[in-house]
Amino acid sequence: MVNTNNDTNVYSVSKLVQEVQVLLEEKFSIVWIYGEISNLFVAVSGHSYFTLKDEESQISSIIFKRQNLKLNFKLENGLQIIGLARISVYKPKGAYQLVFENIEPYGIGSAQLHFEQTKKKLQGKGYFDEQHKKKLPYIPSSIAIITSISGSVIYDFVDVVFRRFSGVSIKVVDARVQGEGADRDIASSIKLINEQKLADVIVLARGGGSIEDLSQFNSETLADAIFLSNIPIVSAIGHETDFTISDFVSDIRAGTPSIAGEIVVPDKKYIKEKIASINSNLASIMFGILEKRKNRVKELQSKLVYRPIKTDSFKIRLDDLTARLSSSIKNRVRELKYNNETLKLKIFKSYPNLKEFRFKIKDLKSNLLFLIKKRVNFVKERQTFFETKINALNPTGILQRGYAITKKEDKVIRDVDEVSVGDVLDIMLAKGRLKCKVEKTYKTRK
């Protein structure tokens, strides 16, 4: 039997594990290693356990929560990585493992990997779906731009907005747009603007840069804030060739901050031209309808066969009413145009009342259309009235009702005493004429 107390060549299990631990940890205190992640498991503690393998071998590995939180991408099975690790021996089991201090994706940058992972996740949640996109107001009363006031993009944006629509209210919200924590800073600004209803539209803006420079705009935290915003958001990050997660989640993407300025406000000059065109078209429609009615009256007059003197007063009255109606409409149109121009000048000089301006423009259009309809209906009623009067006095109308006109030698007979037995009379009916000989006369009692 071997005496373990006197034999220095005999190790206890713990002693041997301890010796191996010293050898491994001293020999491989730090090592660069690459391989593929498999069997990934994240414990409740936040530590990540996995197997690092290549074609021939594998080794147990761990990255503790503190180092894990520093990664800007997520570990996943099948991911090729390269990292800085140290070898550690777990004495209770006599097993050795790699403890990683830092990990990077192998063959692809961590920022790019983070971008792809986040994009895939948010796309699955429906953050990019068109059905969630909010429409921008045509003319916002207030715009909030979230950017760094030390950057130059703010000047480009303001210059474009004021050139297109001077007097618009712009609120600049200063925020970090680069560096750790910038995403939370921007997200807080979005939440504040929504809670206090500071603007009708929000613009996120910063200049261009590398994917690392723009990494804060690939944050899931910021994506959540954009998606939950009740106010529409325009993303103007970097250059036209730069794409971030914020671009996909926002309601509209602008290639640059200057383009964002063109998107959020319309061109005032175009609006003025549009209003002038609408006024001109309405006036043309109105006078066109009036001219049609006048022509219709003339057409009816030309069809009259018999024009008693009584109709002359109606014709004169009709021309008088037509002239007065035309003059009244022209004066009203001039008054509306003057009021319209005056209102536009007031609105463009005092932008806060612009919403009221839009409603007043609507009212002006509605009032003008109502006036036209009212005047046209009036002309129709007068036309019907005169047609009825003219038809009542027109002999052909009387004949259509079964009456006849009797003549003797082209003289209209009104009394039986004007004819004698044997006279030949000419009787005009609605359709045709009769030649009749008088055989007997009768005197009507009064």
Side-chain angles (χ1 to χ4, degrees), residues 152-366:
S152 61
V153 297
I154 182 63
Y155 303 105
D156 297 335
F157 177 80
V158 171
D159 179 64
V160 172
V161 170
F162 282 171
R163 175 165 44 83
R164 289 172 62 83
F165 212 106
S166 58
V168 63
S169 173
I170 299 178
K171 297 179 175 66
V172 180
V173 181
D174 186 28
R176 291 180 296 148
V177 293
Q178 187 172 330
E180 186 177 353
D183 58 333
R184 295 189 295 274
D185 196 7
I186 298 171
S188 297
S189 298
I190 293 174
K191 184 178 180 182
L192 176 66
I193 294 170
N194 273 269
E195 289 175 347
Q196 298 187 10
K197 299 180 180 179
L198 298 178
D200 294 329
V201 62
I202 298 172
V203 177
L204 304 181
R206 72 145 284 161
S210 65
I211 189 171
E212 288 78 13
D213 294 334
L214 304 178
S215 62
Q216 293 300 306
F217 292 92
N218 293 324
S219 160
E220 189 172 346
T221 299
L222 179 54
D224 289 337
I226 295 173
F227 184 76
L228 295 174
S229 173
N230 294 319
I231 300 173
I233 295 179
V234 177
S235 177
I237 310 301
H239 304 301
E240 290 192 57
T241 55
D242 296 326
F243 283 89
T244 65
I245 297 297
S246 296
D247 292 329
F248 295 118
V249 184
S250 295
D251 300 293
I252 290 182
R253 175 187 181 263
T256 64
S258 296
I259 295 176
E262 296 177 357
I263 290 174
V264 295
V265 293
D267 190 344
K268 185 191 294 183
K269 181 180 178 183
Y270 169 78
I271 294 177
K272 288 182 178 179
E273 292 173 352
K274 192 69 174 176
I275 293 173
S277 175
I278 291 172
N279 285 336
S280 176
N281 290 339
L282 287 176
S284 298
I285 292 171
M286 178 187 63
F287 287 115
I289 294 173
L290 183 61
E291 192 63 29
K292 282 185 179 180
R293 295 302 171 188
K294 289 174 66 178
N295 291 337
R296 177 59 179 160
V297 172
K298 289 181 180 179
E299 181 183 349
L300 292 172
Q301 288 177 339
S302 67
K303 291 181 178 179
L304 290 176
V305 177
Y306 179 71
R307 302 178 181 177
I309 295 177
K310 285 186 177 181
T311 63
D312 291 345
S313 62
F314 290 116
K315 291 190 294 183
I316 295 171
R317 179 62 175 164
L318 178 61
D319 286 341
D320 179 53
L321 289 173
T322 302
R324 288 167 61 187
L325 174 62
S326 177
S327 176
S328 175
I329 292 175
K330 287 180 180 179
N331 290 336
R332 183 56 179 162
V333 169
R334 280 196 296 269
E335 181 183 347
L336 289 173
K337 283 185 176 180
Y338 174 78
N339 291 341
N340 192 14
E341 292 300 323
T342 302
L343 182 59
K344 285 193 295 184
L345 289 174
K346 288 181 179 179
I347 292 300
F348 293 138
K349 288 181 179 178
S350 181
Y351 183 78
N353 295 322
L354 191 55
K355 280 189 175 178
E356 181 183 352
F357 162 69
R358 285 157 48 196
F359 291 125
K360 287 195 175 183
I361 287 295
K362 268 186 163 178
D363 290 342
L364 286 174
K365 291 180 186 176
S366 177

Side-chain angles (χ1 to χ4, degrees), residues 366-395:
S366 177
N367 291 340
L368 190 54
L369 288 174
F370 174 75
L371 175 62
I372 292 172
K373 290 180 181 178
K374 184 177 178 182
R375 294 299 187 185
V376 169
N377 289 336
F378 173 77
V379 173
K380 283 183 179 179
E381 291 173 0
R382 299 304 295 174
Q383 177 181 318
T384 303
F385 171 76
F386 287 121
E387 285 179 352
T388 304
K389 290 289 186 182
I390 291 171
N391 288 334
L393 297 171
N394 191 346

Side-chain angles (χ1 to χ4, degrees), residues 15 99 106:
K15 181 65 175 176
V99 178
Y106 186 66

